[in-house]
Amino acid sequence: LGRPQVDRLKADLSFAQNTGQVWKFVMIPEPMQNLGVLGASDRYEGYAAERSEILSYIKNNNIQNVVFVSADIHGTLVNNLTYQNGPGQAQIPSGAWEITTGSVAFDAPFGQTVAGLAAGLGLLTPAQFAFYNTLPRVNKDAFIEGLVNNQLAQLGYDPLGLQGSEIPATLLSASYHAMHTFGWTDFQVDALTQELTVTTYGVDPYTAAQLDANPSLITSLNPEIVSQFRVAAIPTPA
């Protein structure tokens, strides 16, 4: 971000906390969560010092209910945000979490892209890649989740999702990810409880050629809920 932007972000977060604003949404173009070394220079993961400075500031100043909302990877992935004080040191939960929002339309979505890259790098055998391509959408999501989590585990990162983290989240529908759909994410805060409900809608992906060949078929697709969860608001001091 550069020093002026980092300082402004930290000041804004403190101001929001000190004035009683419950949810703090930080909109960024690239993911803050750890996803592995491949392509890290196109994410905050590739800039660990600045990333750790931001997340440690949130942790050390007890700034609650911080949600990073990012995009660019063409899929919906959710995770709590941890950081390190130095290479090889333990991961520290920041208390913040992130959701990457999928694209409305992009060929191909996250899951297909990752599977293709993994096959090209030899992480998937031809037989495994062929098996992946036979799976229905939900099972493809589970397949890619396992592939990603395997890479995260090798680096000491938490697996995808908010289960087992300190984030007070409850999964309501499907899973914490949607890697093979086009769609959007909706954020709703309950006026009384301040609970945040995050709902991702999606349709099956399609190519530009399929759209050109049969536009009415594509425009008649009905979005469905492909991920939904609720996060309780941590009370802010009076």
Side-chain angles (χ1 to χ4, degrees), residues 150-205:
N150 181 59
Q151 301 301 308
L152 297 181
Q154 294 182 41
L155 296 167
Y157 300 156
D158 287 350
L160 295 174
L162 298 177
Q163 65 284 343
S165 75
E166 63 181 23
I167 307 300
T170 302
L171 186 63
L172 302 176
S173 179
S175 69
Y176 283 107
H177 51 259
M179 307 176 185
H180 296 84
T181 56
F182 296 153
W184 70 94
T185 298
D186 179 72
F187 300 84
Q188 292 287 337
V189 177
D190 187 282
L192 296 177
T193 67
Q194 297 299 303
E195 285 185 323
L196 171 65
T197 299
V198 182
T199 306
T200 298
Y201 299 87
V203 298
D204 287 330

Side-chain angles (χ1 to χ4, degrees), residues 12-116:
D12 286 348
L13 287 168
S14 288
F15 176 82
Q17 180 71 23
N18 294 335
T19 54
Q21 298 179 42
V22 178
W23 291 99
K24 297 88 176 172
F25 293 96
V26 183
M27 318 299 287
I28 54 177
E30 313 291 343
M32 179 67 75
Q33 63 185 279
N34 290 323
L35 291 171
V37 296
L38 185 63
S41 62
D42 194 33
R43 305 189 304 274
Y44 280 83
E45 190 167 0
Y47 307 87
E50 183 175 272
R51 179 182 183 277
S52 291
E53 179 184 350
I54 294 168
L55 295 179
S56 64
Y57 183 85
I58 293 170
K59 171 77 171 180
N60 295 335
N61 289 274
N62 199 32
I63 300 174
Q64 306 289 355
N65 308 312
V66 178
V67 184
F68 286 81
V69 182
S70 64
D72 191 54
I73 60 174
H74 314 127
T76 298
L77 288 81
V78 180
N79 209 341
N80 65 306
L81 298 175
T82 65
Y83 65 95
Q84 294 169 289
N85 285 325
Q89 296 188 23
Q91 294 289 328
I92 304 170
S94 67
W97 54 277
E98 178 182 65
I99 177 170
T100 66
T101 60
S103 57
V104 174
F106 183 89
D107 185 16
F110 180 86
Q112 293 176 10
T113 301
V114 169

Side-chain angles (χ1 to χ4, degrees), residues 130-146:
F131 172 71
Y132 158 82
N133 284 318
T134 67
L135 296 172
R137 185 180 73 203
V138 173
N139 298 93
K140 282 184 175 179
D141 272 0
F143 186 99
I144 298 299
E145 179 186 20

Side-chain angles (χ1 to χ4, degrees), residues 219-231:
T219 57
S220 66
L221 293 173
N222 291 314
E224 60 183 280
I225 294 176
V226 293
S227 174
Q228 186 178 58
F229 59 95
R230 179 184 300 125
V231 184

